[in-house]
Amino acid sequence: MIATVLYFVFLRSAVVEGALNPWAEGSASGGDCFCEAFLPNSTFPIGQLISLENTAVEINYKLELEISKVEMYEVKLQVYIAKITNLTVLIELMERDPDSYNELQLEEVKIQIKQVEALIVELKASIQTSSTVLISIRQQISVVIAVLTELEITYDKNLVLVTRREYIILQQKLEECERRHDELFNPDIGICTHSGIRRISKPIISQLNADLTSSYAYGGWGKDSKPMPGSENMYWYSASSDTTVNRIIQYSDYYKLIMRQPFKIHSLYVQYNYDRRGTGNNYVVRENTMYYQFRSPFAMAKWNMTSATIEYKVVPEASTQFSYHYSANQNLDFAGDESGLWVTYATAESKGKLVLGRINEESFEVEEVWQTSIFKPSVGNTFMVCGVLYATRSVDSKTEEIFYTFDTRTEQESYVSIPFEKFQEFYAYLDYNPTDQKLYMFNNGYYVAYHVWFNHEGSLTGE
Ligand SMILES: *[C@@H]1O[C@H](CO)[C@@H](O)[C@H](O)[C@H]1NC(C)=O
Ligand SMILES: *[C@@H]1O[C@H](CO)[C@@H](O)[C@H](O)[C@H]1NC(C)=O
Ligand SMILES: *[C@@H]1O[C@H](CO)[C@@H](O)[C@H](O)[C@H]1NC(C)=O
């Protein structure tokens, strides 16, 4: 009898939502309530889904507002640039022929310069505020996507699908808004006139990896650092439950990545008696080619995903004795930046101190090396930006910091402190991508990214 009532309760709560309290119906049967034993764990919380859909409407409204602001900034910036151009022309004229201008005209130009200056300060402040809003929207979406992923794993995937689609569309809209915003804020993608990293954003959590398991903690994700024409939006992902690199998966864009719809899965497993697997999760993708640490023999490998061919090269000095702080087997770490392809490792001769090498992309040889003074096992990870090596270390379970830089252009090293927040403590992958100036981290199985801000002394976006 009680079982029948409870079954009815289950049916209703499955249809209506968790908000309809099954306990009320259970008590109505008159007896003691021991519903717990009968209630299936798979009762779908429709109420939660409805609330997530309402949140989508809210986020969309906020996003539309930000998009209109970005449009306004773009117009304003164009007007200011025109004003500055006019003033520059006028000042040149005055300089050439100072005698034909009077005091009053000079004063007028000075006032105009002051006005443009004030407008730029104002615009800078608005862009900064807007940037904070975009990051908070990004985080709000990430939280919902995480909840949806959880619902998808626990309950029925199909029920979640529509809501998930809505959020992915929001994410794409946000991505586009961020791109336009970044162009205003960071009009220098690919340019190296800045003097290094100033600040790193809060972590932007995209979602749990495509295998939907946090036991796949050893992996990486990102974009091509030198994309072939037409594959600028491509994302790649690779992960495993240990440090072995078995495969790499490619997605045509962000939407496909989040929907877990790859266009290509490249297996590196043994084929025709040839084991192409890697280890250590410190790969990069550049020109549709994956550079990674070959497992056997210990070497750097180049897996051309266009031609599906492989090449490997032993680096005689590199040692397998020294890995990074967080994970084993990270002996060769690849990085791609604005200026080329790089590899770091440690040598027995240097007793574990990190060595940085530049790889010649044509010959696939390490053509130049620099010795740093940092001990590799105490380093969290490294990445390259504009020919400068950045090394991180753990501060505490929630904080990581860039503590060291080595500039290959000046051969200068320096100890710095640029802290940034971690989503979760353990991470197996960190790299910079020069095409969007973002850091990509594989953080305990989650796709995490960061915006990077650079020092631009005396420029519009600098401090
Ligand atoms: C229901 O399932 C979820 C996800 O598998 C689990 O975390 C939770 O402990 C389960 N609850 C009960 C009461 O079994
Ligand atoms: C720049 O100068 C031209 C010609 O003198 C003028 O027509 C235009 O309005 C000026 N633009 C601004 C933004 O001041
Ligand atoms: C990969 O292979 C294609 C086709 O053979 C070739 O055109 C391309 O240059 C190769 N890429 C690299 C990075 O070697």
Side-chain angles (χ1 to χ4, degrees):
M1 171 62 193
I2 288 173
T4 315
V5 173
L6 287 171
Y7 184 60
F8 169 71
V9 171
F10 161 60
L11 272 186
R12 282 199 55 184
S13 59
V15 174
V16 186
E17 56 158 315
L20 175 85
N21 185 4
W23 292 96
E25 298 272 349
S27 306
S29 71
D32 288 331
C33 195
F34 44 92
C35 317
E36 241 176 316
F38 289 87
L39 269 179
N41 193 11
S42 60
T43 310
F44 192 89
I46 298 284
Q48 198 172 358
L49 207 56
I50 290 171
S51 126
L52 292 180
E53 286 192 14
N54 292 337
T55 311
V57 176
E58 252 171 62
I59 294 175
N60 191 40
Y61 175 73
K62 276 198 254 178
L63 206 48
E64 292 285 353
L65 207 65
E66 286 311 308
I67 291 169
S68 65
K69 278 190 201 162
V70 169
E71 279 165 1
M72 187 185 72
Y73 300 152
E74 282 168 346
V75 172
K76 275 191 177 172
L77 201 63
Q78 272 168 6
V79 172
Y80 299 166
I81 289 170
K83 279 200 173 139
I84 291 169
T85 311
N86 270 13
L87 282 172
T88 312
V89 171
L90 194 59
I91 291 165
E92 273 172 13
L93 283 176
M94 288 176 137
E95 275 174 350
R96 247 181 259 153
D97 186 13
D99 297 336
S100 49
Y101 295 91
N102 61 33
E103 201 58 30
L104 204 67
Q105 283 167 313
L106 209 70
E107 205 50 43
E108 173 65 23
V109 173
K110 275 188 189 161
I111 289 169
Q112 283 191 37
I113 292 173
K114 283 245 153 61
Q115 278 173 345
V116 177
E117 255 175 19
L119 288 171
I120 286 174
V121 168
E122 189 191 293
L123 183 65
K124 224 176 101 177
S126 325
I127 293 176
Q128 184 76 61
T129 312
S130 185
S131 166
T132 315
V133 174
L134 289 179
I135 289 173
S136 87
I137 293 177
R138 167 72 86 159
Q139 279 167 340
Q140 200 178 357
I141 294 178
S142 296
V143 169
V144 176
I145 296 259
V147 173
L148 288 172
T149 305
E150 197 54 48
L151 289 177
E152 201 175 69
I153 298 170
T154 318
Y155 303 100
D156 186 351
K157 196 172 156 180
N158 292 323
L159 282 170
V160 179
L161 206 64
V162 176
T163 317
R164 176 176 263 276
R165 283 230 166 88
E166 275 173 46
Y167 274 92
I168 289 164
I169 290 164
L170 283 178
Q171 254 177 334
Q172 283 180 309
K173 228 165 151 176
L174 173 68
E175 193 96 340
E176 170 61 14
C177 184
E178 278 183 331
R179 193 189 56 73
R180 287 170 69 174
H181 191 270
D182 277 359
E183 273 168 20
L184 287 177
F185 204 59
N186 255 344
D188 57 356
I189 283 186
I191 293 170
C192 290
T193 49
H194 56 75
S195 57
I197 294 179
R198 173 162 59 91
R199 177 165 89 77
I200 291 172
S201 74
K202 284 190 174 295
I204 301 156
I205 301 120
S206 283
Q207 78 152 354
L208 186 60
N209 63 70
D211 291 295
L212 293 182
T213 164
S214 53
S215 73
Y216 273 32
Y218 300 91
W221 77 297
K223 298 178 82 172
D224 193 315
S225 66
K226 194 178 173 187
M228 316 270 280
S231 59
E232 292 83 357
N233 298 325
M234 187 270 286
Y235 281 81
W236 58 266
Y237 152 69
S238 174
S240 173
S241 55
D242 61 28
T243 60
T244 316
V245 181
N246 301 310
R247 53 175 193 164
I248 176 162
I249 306 175
Q250 291 181 289
Y251 304 86
S252 52
D253 55 31
Y254 189 76
Y255 180 84
K256 298 282 187 192
L257 172 85
I258 299 299
M259 289 303 278
R260 308 192 293 277
Q261 295 167 346
F263 72 86
K264 200 116 188 203
I265 301 175
H266 305 269
S267 169
L268 297 171
Y269 265 114
V270 185
Q271 251 180 25
Y272 314 113
N273 286 330
Y274 191 46
D275 187 348
R276 298 166 301 175
R277 281 177 297 171
T279 186
N281 313 100
N282 269 317
Y283 25 66
V284 287
V285 173
R286 197 167 171 82
E287 288 184 291
N288 208 37
T289 297
M290 180 193 193
Y291 293 90
Y292 65 103
Q293 178 179 332
F294 213 47
R295 222 164 57 109
S296 178
F298 170 56
M300 34 180 222
K302 176 179 176 182
W303 168 243
N304 186 328
M305 295 188 281
T306 308
S307 60
T309 52
I310 193 156
E311 198 184 323
Y312 67 83
K313 217 148 247 179
V314 173
V315 183
E317 313 78 47
S319 165
T320 53
Q321 266 185 291
F322 308 99
S323 186
Y324 286 139
H325 168 72
Y326 289 104
S327 166
N329 300 334
Q330 298 191 310
N331 310 117
L332 295 173
D333 180 11
F334 295 87
D337 70 359
E338 292 82 354
S339 53
L341 179 65
W342 308 85
V343 63
T344 58
Y345 49 87
T347 63
E349 194 203 352
S350 71
K351 300 191 177 62
K353 298 248 173 79
L354 197 78
V355 172
L356 167 63
R358 186 208 302 277
I359 298 174
N360 180 315
E361 289 179 65
E362 296 257 311
S363 65
F364 193 40
E365 296 278 0
V366 177
E367 62 176 9
E368 198 175 355
V369 295
W370 294 268
Q371 178 67 57
T372 75
S373 62
I374 49 173
F375 184 53
K376 180 162 175 172
S378 65
V379 172
N381 217 297
T382 67
F383 58 87
M384 297 291 297
V385 182
C386 288
V388 178
L389 173 90
Y390 290 83
T392 68
R393 69 178 168 203
S394 169
V395 175
D396 56 49
S397 65
K398 288 215 168 309
T399 320
E400 191 80 0
E401 74 170 348
I402 294 172
F403 75 102
Y404 175 86
T405 67
F406 185 95
D407 190 334
T408 58
R409 299 166 300 187
T410 59
E411 311 209 317
Q412 294 286 309
E413 58 180 0
S414 59
Y415 286 83
V416 297
S417 176
I418 305 166
F420 59 99
E421 192 182 310
K422 267 181 297 192
F423 166 58
Q424 291 190 22
E425 182 168 9
F426 172 85
Y427 71 91
Y429 185 86
L430 180 67
D431 253 310
Y432 166 79
N433 191 303
T435 69
D436 55 11
Q437 296 185 326
K438 280 185 185 153
L439 290 176
Y440 288 84
M441 179 188 270
F442 196 67
N443 191 188
N444 231 353
Y446 283 82
Y447 302 144
V448 174
Y450 297 89
H451 288 286
V452 178
W453 282 277
F454 297 102
N455 282 307
H456 295 267
E457 285 90 4
S459 75
L460 169 68
T461 52
E463 288 285 72

